[in-house]
Amino acid sequence: MTASREEFEARLRQIGADRYHDKHPFHHMLHGGECTPAQVRAWVINRFYYQASIPMKDAAFMSRVEDPALRREWRSRIEDHDGHGENEGGIERWLRLADAVGLDRDYVASKQGVLPATKFAVDAYVRFVREKPLLEAVAASLTELFAPKIHADRIKGLLANYDFANDRSMSYFQRRLNEAPKDVAFGLKYVLDNADTQEKQDAAAAALEFKTDVLWSQLDALYSAYVAPGRIPPGGWQPGTYELALRATA
């Protein structure tokens, strides 16, 4: 039986309550000031691979959209990350964070040293959006429903616990607090409007679960490589390399 609009939205939100990566032990360490400088740097390096892939994912989505209105609405997501006009973009803001934690930004931008599991997870997400029905592709983006809280917690935790954190180095997360609500309002309405059968609702919910798996698996890879058992796979970034003296970011 097809759920009501309200029931289906509650189902989607429960997926976040149960599965979002804010519950991962690595994020508890990061936000609580328990990560070593090397662990923070490993997170910045690997998360960049995801950040840099988001506009590629959105471009793949737009290439399949025939409705100009939907393309116009979705286009801002690419501009938010790549930059447009006076908006330098999320990718540049992430590289500013790399500067702040003492990494060679050219190395981070090269995507070298990214863990294999990070690549597999992120590439699977891009492929999912490129190949799945539009409803499922949009539903997968609805992890943004849960992102404002993790960004707020991250800003608070990093500012309280790490010397590199200040308004400039935290600008990526500050900006997303304003950008994400707009994106998620549109995406949620699209999914609720178009998931009008039980089959479509199940497919959309499965897509959102898949995306939570993508995010969770990236943190599993980081934890395994740089926390416990601390087994860095071949090709993964080695602490002590591509690091710079920490410099002022104010």
Side-chain angles (χ1 to χ4, degrees):
M1 180 177 178
T2 305
S4 70
R5 189 181 185 91
E6 293 75 18
E7 291 169 338
F8 182 48
E9 180 175 347
R11 179 183 178 185
L12 295 174
R13 291 186 181 277
Q14 189 61 45
I15 291 171
D18 294 340
R19 303 170 63 106
Y20 194 54
H21 66 161
D22 61 338
K23 299 161 187 65
H24 196 283
F26 190 91
H27 272 167
H28 287 246
M29 291 176 58
L30 180 67
H31 299 167
E34 300 172 12
C35 281
T36 66
Q39 289 164 348
V40 173
R41 289 166 179 155
W43 170 68
V44 170
I45 290 167
N46 280 270
R47 180 75 182 192
F48 180 79
Y49 191 82
Y50 175 78
Q51 301 301 149
S53 297
I54 293 300
M56 297 166 60
K57 176 268 297 185
D58 289 326
F61 175 83
M62 287 179 60
S63 73
R64 303 167 52 215
V65 173
E66 297 182 4
D67 179 5
L70 179 53
R71 287 200 303 269
R72 284 194 298 270
E73 182 67 35
W74 212 264
R75 186 171 59 209
S76 66
R77 296 173 182 245
I78 296 178
E79 294 172 349
D80 287 344
H81 283 81
D82 283 348
H84 178 73
E86 295 182 359
N87 175 14
E88 62 189 342
I91 290 176
E92 173 59 28
R93 293 188 189 94
W94 197 269
L95 290 173
R96 185 185 300 153
L97 175 61
D99 293 336
V101 302
L103 285 165
D104 181 335
R105 69 154 47 203
D106 291 337
Y107 174 75
V108 176
S110 75
K111 305 177 188 177
Q112 298 179 52
V114 174
L115 296 170
T118 300
K119 293 179 181 178
F120 282 126
V122 175
D123 292 351
Y125 179 41
V126 175
R127 186 166 58 250
F128 183 96
V129 172
R130 182 183 296 123
E131 297 175 356
K132 290 289 186 177
L134 295 183
L135 172 62
E136 293 173 47
V138 175
S141 76
L142 291 183
T143 49
E144 293 170 338
L145 279 167
F146 324 117
K149 180 182 183 301
I150 200 172
H151 289 323
D153 289 346
R154 184 169 296 150
I155 292 166
K156 180 180 178 181
L158 297 186
L159 286 172
N161 293 297
Y162 300 95
D163 290 341
F164 69 80
N166 57 34
D167 287 343
R168 180 172 171 80
S169 60
M170 295 291 97
S171 62
Y172 173 84
F173 310 110
Q174 297 279 10
R175 183 78 178 210
R176 288 305 294 165
L177 287 174
N178 296 322
E179 293 172 343
K182 166 184 63 70
D183 292 342
V184 76
F186 177 84
L188 179 60
K189 183 178 185 303
Y190 181 93
V191 171
L192 295 177
D193 286 347
N194 288 278
D196 52 5
T197 67
Q198 180 69 57
E199 181 180 13
K200 289 180 180 179
Q201 289 180 347
D202 289 345
L208 182 54
E209 290 180 351
F210 164 78
K211 178 63 180 305
T212 63
D213 289 345
V214 167
L215 297 171
W216 193 277
S217 62
Q218 292 178 65
L219 295 181
D220 272 351
L222 276 172
Y223 197 95
S224 176
Y226 298 103
V227 181
R231 185 173 56 245
I232 302 173
W237 172 71
Q238 294 290 336
T241 62
Y242 299 99
E243 296 177 5
L244 306 172
L246 287 174
R247 49 200 177 204
T249 57

